[in-house]
Amino acid sequence: MSKVYAGRYTAQPDQDVTVFLIGMRINKVHRPDKWVPVVNAMPRMLKHLVTHPDAGLLGFHNWFGRTTLLLSYWQSSQHLRRFASDNEAPHAEAWRAFRRNVGDDGIVGIWHETYDVPAQNLEVVYGNMPRFGLGKATAQVPVGRGSHTAKQRINRLRDTTSAVG
């Protein structure tokens, strides 16, 4: 069981972050021959990314069900695209296998969304939670002076970046 951090915390990333959501939906449960290989592809990719930190993955969380969701944080969208197109990494072959074995037959749905988020636009808070999300992927710090409200947290980062630029 993960340690719960009592109280309120926020994330303190020192850089812009790319948030990548990806998942699949089993549209025809009675066709495991189509969806099991898709389910099995993601753990191989995550293992590769965890053992190759230079690929740019900062952290991730998974949720499973008929529709699955993987929330991940990346150093940049360039890192994400480089991983996706790297023939030495497990994604390219998994994508080719999906196109070859599933294609557009409607049995398995896949989706992803990518968001490049400048550090000055990030605002997060965690209350009575284990380390999670961006706070787990980067740095988690207690909410303190000047960071009690969402407006204060986002303005604090904006003030810091506007003073530099």
Side-chain angles (χ1 to χ4, degrees), residues 3-165:
K3 176 185 175 190
V4 171
Y5 289 81
R8 295 175 65 227
Y9 290 81
T10 188
Q12 193 169 28
D14 59 359
Q15 65 186 45
D16 299 347
V17 175
T18 295
V19 179
F20 184 62
L21 303 169
I22 188 168
M24 63 170 278
R25 183 175 191 278
I26 300 170
N27 294 324
K28 297 189 178 175
V29 178
H30 66 281
R31 292 297 308 272
D33 60 308
K34 295 282 188 163
W35 56 261
V36 166
V38 180
V39 169
N40 289 337
M42 188 57 72
R44 284 192 303 274
M45 286 185 254
L46 292 172
K47 182 178 180 183
H48 174 87
L49 289 164
V50 167
T51 58
H52 294 86
D54 56 317
L57 180 71
L58 298 172
F60 67 91
H61 296 280
N62 263 322
W63 290 269
F64 299 99
R66 182 174 179 182
T67 300
T68 65
L69 168 66
L70 173 76
L71 164 64
S72 59
Y73 301 93
W74 291 75
Q75 291 177 17
S76 70
S77 56
Q78 292 82 7
H79 282 89
L80 176 60
R81 287 192 303 272
R82 192 175 323 129
F83 167 72
S85 62
D86 181 354
N87 284 322
E88 301 299 314
H91 176 268
E93 178 51 37
W95 177 242
R96 285 190 292 272
F98 178 85
R99 295 300 303 149
R100 186 174 53 248
N101 301 327
V102 177
D104 297 327
D105 65 13
I107 294 171
V108 180
I110 58 170
W111 61 275
H112 78 256
E113 299 176 3
T114 307
Y115 304 97
D116 285 327
V117 186
Q120 71 266 20
N121 290 346
L122 294 167
E123 186 283 317
V124 299
V125 70
Y126 309 99
N128 303 322
M129 289 283 296
R131 288 201 60 208
F132 183 81
L134 191 59
K136 184 176 182 183
T138 61
Q140 176 176 290
V141 296
V143 167
R145 183 181 168 139
S147 65
H148 287 283
T149 67
K151 182 178 179 181
Q152 287 175 328
R153 286 187 295 278
I154 203 156
N155 284 338
R156 176 178 47 98
L157 289 172
R158 286 186 178 156
D159 292 344
T160 302
T161 57
S162 64
V164 173

